[in-house]
Amino acid sequence: MTLPSLKTMRDAIISSVAAKMLKDSSIYFLTADLGAPSLDQLRHDFPDRFMNVGIAEQNLINVGTGLALEGCRVFVLGIAPFVSMRCFEQIRNNLALLSQLRPVNITMLSVGAGFSYEVSGPTHHALEDLALMRTLPNLELFSPSDWVMAGAFVPYSLSQPTPKYCRLDGKPLPRIYPDSHAFDFHKGFEVLQTGDRVGLISTGSLTHGVLELCQNTPGWRDRVGLIDLFMFQPMDETALQNQLLNYSHIITIEEGFTGKGGLDGLVNRLVVQSRQKITVDAFGVPARYLFEAGSRAYLRQACGFGPDDIRRTVEQYLR
Amino acid sequence: MSVKFDQCEAERMAAEWRYIITDMICRAGSGHIGGALSIVEILHTLYYRIMNTDPENPAWAGRDRLVLSKGHAAPVLYVALAYKGFFPAAWLGTLNADGTKLPSHADARSVPGIDATTGSLGQGLSVACGMAKAAKINGAANSVFCIIGDGESNEGQNWEAAMFAAHNKLDNLVAITDYNKFQIDGSTDEVLSLEPLTDKWRAFGWEVFEMNGHDWADIYTTLSKAKAVKGKPAMVIAHTIKAKGCPVVENTAGSHNIRIPDRASYDRYLGSLAVQDVKLPY
């Protein structure tokens, strides 16, 4: 299923938004001073509806709110740790809270999931945003694994009068899904491989590596399943829980802190609620910041969730 | 907006509002009286002489917007809206009570006529910028007014909004600073000096006015001029007196949030007001 062609999720979304902006004058795009050729094109094509608010993320969220309250449908673009953490209260008050009263159609494009900005150090890593955004009611939380899915989210997002947080990877990635794939954003996950013993569940860019492991490791076919979770809320929890019940061992894999309420928090709750004897192992970043510099693969391995770490744990359960 | 103005009537109404605001807060047992009483004349002028609104249709698209960024001054906004007919004046007696529609901070959920839920300081001006920008792009003729506190001006986000508004030439945006010179912990000079405040806003690219926030003629003339500014946003620095008209705490930092523990305190506050023959609408 994996096809070549590298692209960033950001560019896939911008391309999809630009196509929509051509036909719909209610769509606005705000950025907090990020540079990219795709943004230059947007600025050129829509000088009235593209705005760079400057390096001012809090203003980004609230100006977007003002526009949305006037009926505009707004995309706001910023760097993940700054959008999610510098602006947490702005998001809470103006998006999560206000959208309970009125339609607030804002899509936050939060670029730089996990270790995307690997060499920029811990200030630029986004390891907390999944857990933070999960605490907010009324907020949709999207964590795509490839750019096809990211682009497909745009029409869905425009149709939902709610705020959304999109946790986008910062690196160009290959595609997992074909163009024609019909994503079910209400269900929120895709089963990429089925198995009867060990279930892997991952989100974001990690799904690429895990899928490769599943497809290429001898003896895993029909025994190891893989779920690509892309909507954290809202999503069909019952359907996901039913999938988890196919396995006696579940392994969660996320590029974020474990034990803090991210992917592992969601899966653990569903497993506990099922009252079934299922083990859950959580792979991700242990509770410490990484000052080590290096490639993304290096950082993942330093945290104990490189491919070999995952393979060893799965093999142990397959014995 | 052209209306016949009767200053005697306005003064009578302002005194009545002060009595009702004080009564509301005292009945509730506590509240932000200082910053509510300091903008009585400003809100009266906005709603009766400057802003286009329609109480019968609070969500009318062509209305002028008001973002009360200093959301803790909500009691005066509630009184203004009730007097204008946005909702029954009987609601005013329920401030902070169980099941009330009127919480202590401005709430867009259940109060007709309120354009933004506020209370977290420093955020309203950015929202007002978004509203003003939308109006500009849509070719709408409405203005957006935003009232910020002087203490609130400590918040950095105001200055992000200040740059945005000037950069985008939001001449349909009029901000008003309630410069009553006090915040919770003391005078604004002692806590974190704002001066030179007019120079700051001017340096950020705004047209800046100063006015006496209790002088009817000055308020009307200045707000009219501010509304007419072209090519840039307008900031009106309103020199006001915190808790104006309530002698027990007038012009003190302590008026920011008063506590009314007993009937004697209630009587002391209400008894100190200049006008006593007010018939409460609740």
Side-chain angles (χ1 to χ4, degrees):
Chain A
M1 202 170 174
T2 306
L3 307 167
S5 177
L6 294 175
K7 196 187 276 192
T8 62
M9 295 174 182
R10 177 200 63 199
D11 284 351
I13 286 180
I14 288 174
S15 165
S16 184
V17 171
K20 293 288 184 187
M21 285 175 84
L22 272 177
K23 298 174 187 161
D24 187 337
S25 63
S26 74
I27 304 172
Y28 287 68
F29 197 101
L30 276 58
T31 166
D33 207 35
L34 275 73
S38 56
L39 287 172
D40 294 339
Q41 187 65 44
L42 210 55
R43 184 196 335 263
H44 176 268
D45 293 346
F46 307 100
D48 284 346
R49 289 182 282 141
F50 174 92
M51 281 173 251
N52 181 353
V53 303
I55 309 167
E57 290 83 4
Q58 298 167 73
N59 205 38
L60 175 80
I61 300 296
N62 283 26
V63 169
T65 302
L67 287 163
L69 286 173
E70 296 298 323
C72 306
R73 293 184 287 174
V74 186
F75 290 84
V76 300
L77 173 68
I79 306 262
F82 314 139
V83 169
S84 64
M85 287 175 267
R86 182 186 294 259
C87 306
F88 185 75
E89 198 211 358
Q90 279 76 10
I91 294 170
R92 170 184 175 267
N93 286 359
N94 297 285
L95 306 187
L97 186 154
L98 196 58
S99 68
Q100 194 164 310
L101 316 178
R102 300 172 180 196
V104 182
N105 193 336
I106 293 190
T107 306
M108 289 175 277
L109 306 175
S110 188
V111 176
F115 293 136
S116 291
Y117 297 117
E118 69 281 68
V119 294
S120 297
T123 60
H124 282 57
H125 299 160
L127 306 172
E128 306 90 341
D129 57 340
L130 268 181
L132 280 170
M133 295 301 143
R134 281 192 70 221
T135 65
L136 296 175
N138 308 318
L139 186 81
E140 299 204 20
L141 177 47
F142 175 52
S143 170
S145 58
D146 83 346
W147 56 266
V148 180
M149 182 190 283
F153 188 72
V154 170
Y156 166 82
S157 187
L158 286 168
S159 71
Q160 301 294 308
T162 48
K164 303 112 200 155
Y165 180 88
C166 302
R167 187 182 197 246
L168 306 180
D169 205 84
K171 295 285 186 243
L173 291 166
R175 66 195 304 164
I176 292 175
Y177 300 95
D179 284 333
S180 56
H181 192 85
F183 295 99
D184 185 343
F185 293 108
H186 299 286
K187 183 175 132 194
F189 63 90
E190 288 285 342
V191 177
L192 293 178
Q193 181 164 305
T194 54
D196 63 3
R197 183 91 177 140
V198 181
L200 305 177
I201 178 164
S202 62
T203 191
S205 66
L206 277 166
T207 298
H208 292 263
V210 181
L211 179 60
E212 202 176 310
L213 267 182
C214 286
Q215 290 174 333
N216 299 331
T217 310
W220 282 25
R221 185 174 293 275
D222 299 327
R223 302 199 69 198
V224 180
L226 172 59
I227 298 167
D228 177 20
L229 182 71
F230 53 85
M231 288 298 289
F232 278 72
Q233 59 186 39
M235 49 93 66
D236 188 342
E237 292 193 353
T238 306
L240 180 60
Q241 192 176 48
N242 287 338
Q243 283 294 327
L244 299 177
L245 295 180
N246 291 330
Y247 306 102
S248 48
H249 304 286
I250 305 283
I251 296 174
T252 65
I253 308 152
E254 63 194 300
E255 207 167 65
F257 288 131
T258 53
K260 301 288 186 190
L263 172 62
D264 61 337
L266 171 64
V267 170
N268 269 307
R269 177 167 61 78
L270 294 178
V271 168
V272 167
Q273 283 174 352
S274 76
R275 298 171 188 270
Q276 300 300 308
K277 284 187 179 170
I278 300 173
T279 67
V280 179
D281 286 88
F283 279 85
V285 182
R288 71 178 183 89
Y289 289 98
L290 262 80
F291 291 88
E292 298 94 323
S295 69
R296 207 159 180 188
Y298 174 83
L299 295 180
R300 286 173 176 175
Q301 194 163 343
C303 293
F305 64 102
D308 290 339
D309 302 302
I310 297 167
R311 186 187 295 112
R312 268 196 303 275
T313 304
V314 173
E315 297 287 352
Q316 170 194 321
Y317 288 128
L318 291 179
R319 275 188 212 123
Chain B
M1 190 184 187
S2 175
V3 287
K4 199 174 162 195
F5 179 66
D6 177 342
Q7 186 164 326
C8 288
E9 170 62 11
E11 279 172 3
R12 185 197 62 76
M13 205 186 284
E16 205 167 287
W17 286 15
R18 286 199 160 88
Y19 190 91
I20 293 171
I21 292 163
T22 306
D23 183 77
M24 287 164 67
I25 288 172
C26 288
R27 276 173 197 251
S30 66
H32 298 90
I33 197 167
L37 296 185
S38 62
I39 57 170
V40 166
E41 286 83 3
I42 294 170
L43 272 198
H44 186 284
T45 304
L46 282 172
Y47 275 98
Y48 281 85
R49 304 180 75 190
I50 300 285
M51 286 171 53
N52 292 308
T53 59
D54 181 0
E56 298 296 317
N57 183 11
W60 169 45
R63 74 191 186 280
D64 289 331
R65 275 67 166 165
L66 172 65
V67 176
L68 182 66
S69 190
K70 42 172 284 180
H72 55 279
V76 63
L77 179 57
Y78 295 154
V79 172
L81 291 170
Y83 267 68
K84 285 292 286 183
F86 280 87
F87 56 81
W91 290 12
L92 297 174
T94 67
L95 182 74
N96 293 353
D98 290 350
T100 186
K101 292 176 187 293
L102 307 181
S104 66
H105 289 62
D107 177 20
R109 175 176 57 103
S110 50
V111 189
I114 291 191
D115 289 313
T117 294
T118 52
S120 176
L121 295 178
Q123 298 195 34
L125 191 56
S126 297
V127 175
C129 283
M131 291 174 167
K133 182 69 182 176
K136 279 267 168 203
I137 292 167
N138 295 331
N142 67 284
S143 298
V144 180
F145 294 87
C146 179
I147 303 178
I148 65 174
D150 46 8
E152 179 182 10
S153 303
N154 297 166
E155 294 277 8
Q157 192 179 342
N158 285 304
W159 305 98
E160 294 182 8
M163 283 188 279
F164 179 90
H167 181 82
N168 284 277
K169 301 182 171 52
L170 298 181
D171 56 12
N172 54 348
L173 174 63
V174 176
I176 301 165
T177 298
D178 175 19
Y179 200 7
N180 58 42
K181 324 288 188 300
F182 286 103
Q183 53 198 101
I184 292 180
D185 205 28
S187 75
T188 51
D189 258 355
E190 290 166 342
V191 176
L192 189 64
S193 180
L194 297 168
E195 290 299 340
L197 189 56
T198 53
D199 289 347
K200 281 191 174 77
W201 284 99
R202 204 164 280 131
F204 273 77
W206 290 52
E207 188 71 28
V208 185
F209 301 87
E210 291 187 78
M211 71 179 185
N212 177 341
H214 302 297
D215 182 296
W216 296 100
D218 197 6
I219 295 169
Y220 178 69
T221 307
T222 309
L223 290 180
S224 300
K225 279 185 200 163
K227 193 174 175 179
V229 167
K230 295 295 174 205
K232 55 167 99 165
M235 166 55 77
V236 176
I237 308 290
H239 295 281
T240 61
I241 295 168
K242 193 147 183 157
K244 164 81 171 168
C246 184
V248 179
V249 282
E250 187 178 275
N251 206 27
T252 66
S255 73
H256 185 82
N257 190 10
I258 59 167
R259 307 273 166 204
I260 305 297
D262 49 33
R263 178 74 203 196
S265 302
Y266 174 91
D267 290 341
R268 191 159 61 93
Y269 273 90
L270 269 294
S272 74
L273 301 176
V275 173
Q276 291 288 313
D277 59 341
V278 175
K279 187 173 183 311
L280 294 170
Y282 43 83

